[in-house]
Amino acid sequence: MPPRFRRPEPMTTFELVPDDEPEDMSGSAADDAEPGPRLLSRLRERGRARWRTLSRRGRAAVAAGTAVVVVAAATAVVAPGLLDARAERLRAEAVQGLPGAVGNLSEPLAETWDLANASGALVALSGGTLLTTDATSVSALDAGTGEEVWHREIGTYPTCGPQEGYPIDLGPPADVVVCLSGDGDDRTVTVLDATGTVVGERSIGPARADPYDDGTGATPGEAPVVVPAGGGALAVVEGITDTSAPWPSDDLPDADTLGRLRADGWEDPTLRVEDALTGELRGEASLQLRPQDLAQCGMTQDQGSDPELILSPSVSATSSLVTLSVCGAAVLVTSDGVVVDTGSGGAWARPLPGGGTVVVGEESTVLGRDGDVVTTLPGFLIPPTVDDDPDGPYLVLAGAGTAGGQFRLAAVGADGDEAWSAPVPEPGGVLARVSGVVVVQDGDALVALDAATGTEVWVREDLLRPSGYGSGDWVAGAVTDGTRLLVGIGGDGARHRLVTLDLRDGSTVWQREGQGYLERLQSVDGHVVAAYDGVPHGLG
């Protein structure tokens, strides 16, 4: 099905051509291919020379066609193809260096490398490299070619961070990486910069990689959980206890259930963020488990026994934020040590591309890097995966979201004033705000809205297979070159698709079918990286 296009006139974006572009270009062959003052001057000189060689009769014969030649030359100066090429170049320059920006997407991409033998999660480093681990070492690979840039032996069982969260942390690539290595009863912290130089290291004694790691030989709960974080920090969680309580047979867990947990030894754990090299405390917060949080716990039941609560502590550390959560309770501390107040409602938070954090609940609170409140917005703030206007209005999902479909996407300024809103009955996230359009997933369709007015520009209802055919399709990531948007679409079983759309009208530029469960699609230093079946692949 072709895209449903709503724009009433052709999109010839004359405003993208700068008025003050220098007239004297470099004089290269590429510049001469575009009609400019120097080229037209040379054409006039050639014309005069040719005119002087003609006889009187020859000049009369040529005179009749002169106007046509002049008109053709003038038309060439503003030819649509040249304007479009120049506008495309300017759009590419506008997104260069932004999260989610890649090179030219006009031609189909092919796999250039894969890391089938790598272990552990990748860490994107500044300088366009990806850090990966093996049994005793870490390596940095060029994101464009997959070739090894540097290699360092650091010890057994290395784990490095910061790692990306989900949704993908839109923070910049890491300048330093923190790695833990060695046996569980004597872990070593190694800090490296993006060039592979070891900044320093220290021993931290017994430590667990996660709450379920009992490889230290210590009594469970005695060794802290230690996770590499962003900004040269470590996330340390102490006080995690192995406790359980029965799930009430007639209702949800309540205060009595929490009382049983505490009687069984439950203690509220503490999250501490500290400097990876010095151990200096940057910030800490204690998780306070409440009765209402227990309703979000998991349940386990062995054969012949009563069901019990699963208290599953989770520790995650991205480039800017560390989160400790248990059931419905969570505490958050930034890598700089700022404790993020999520309020009494237990809202969740995520980092913002330009720095700071948004705490999302019934309303969204935007916090600066120092933790101070920047603004409070009605509804759920949804940062686009790709955004060429990060200082523009916030995109907020507002409305009751009832069965009647009251959700709407609104562009809201920092002062709370709403510039526009558009109905989004089945919101699935904002994929991009690029080249004057906002692309959102609305149920099984991709919809582009005018970024200035919120009016519908185009709709694609044929890209995502509805959930009625199984689990349906989903968008696993998006990247852009400023003119086109590459969308990664995952589906049932071992298959996925990469579809590139023209942002101006939603038409398909190219698409590529692939095998494997697509987990994410992202940009690393301008290069496309896709992960499926647990294996990162470079595309170029």
Side-chain angles (χ1 to χ4, degrees), residues 256-444:
D256 290 340
T257 310
L258 182 58
R260 292 193 181 191
L261 286 171
R262 296 196 182 281
D264 193 40
W266 170 263
E267 296 180 1
D268 291 327
T270 297
L271 168 64
R272 188 172 72 248
V273 174
E274 61 184 41
D275 187 279
L277 283 182
T278 67
E280 180 182 356
L281 180 66
R282 295 185 181 181
E284 67 177 346
S286 293
L287 182 147
Q288 303 292 326
L289 192 64
R290 305 165 302 174
Q292 59 264 40
D293 297 323
L294 300 179
Q296 298 184 42
C297 292
M299 178 193 296
T300 182
Q301 184 175 15
D302 294 330
Q303 187 173 5
S305 63
D306 295 330
E308 291 189 340
L309 290 171
I310 299 177
L311 275 74
S312 304
S314 173
V315 186
S316 65
T318 67
S319 63
S320 57
L321 197 63
V322 179
T323 304
L324 167 65
S325 60
V326 177
C327 300
V331 291
L332 303 100
V333 182
T334 71
S335 299
D336 296 329
V338 177
V339 178
V340 178
D341 182 9
T342 61
S344 59
W348 57 275
R350 64 172 294 184
L352 293 172
T357 308
V358 57
V359 179
V360 181
E362 293 183 358
E363 58 184 15
S364 295
T365 302
V366 179
L367 307 175
R369 290 181 179 275
D370 56 1
D372 291 341
V373 176
V374 175
T375 185
T376 299
L377 306 168
F380 299 86
L381 191 156
I382 309 178
T385 302
V386 182
D387 193 356
D388 69 356
D389 188 19
D391 296 325
Y394 296 103
L395 298 175
V396 179
L397 187 65
T402 62
Q406 300 301 311
F407 276 123
R408 56 190 176 86
L409 184 70
V412 182
D415 56 3
D417 289 343
E418 185 176 292
W420 55 260
S421 69
V424 185
E426 300 179 66
V430 180
L431 303 183
R433 174 166 56 184
V434 180
S435 193
V437 297
V438 176
V439 182
V440 301
Q441 181 179 349
D442 186 6
D444 299 319

Side-chain angles (χ1 to χ4, degrees), residues 123-134:
V123 179
L125 301 178
S126 57
T129 58
L130 289 163
L131 184 134
T132 185
T133 61
D134 61 17

Side-chain angles (χ1 to χ4, degrees), residues 91-159:
R91 287 192 292 268
E93 292 172 355
V95 301
Q96 187 175 9
L98 293 174
V102 297
N104 194 317
L105 292 171
S106 61
E107 300 294 335
L109 302 181
E111 287 189 13
T112 55
W113 55 265
D114 68 65
L115 298 179
N117 297 323
S119 62
L122 295 180
V123 179
L125 301 178
S126 57
T129 58
L130 289 163
L131 184 134
T132 185
T133 61
D134 61 17
T136 61
S137 64
V138 295
S139 301
L141 310 176
D142 185 283
T145 65
E147 296 178 356
E148 186 174 277
V149 178
W150 55 261
H151 179 94
R152 295 287 181 272
E153 292 285 338
I154 64 169
T156 57
Y157 315 120
T159 302

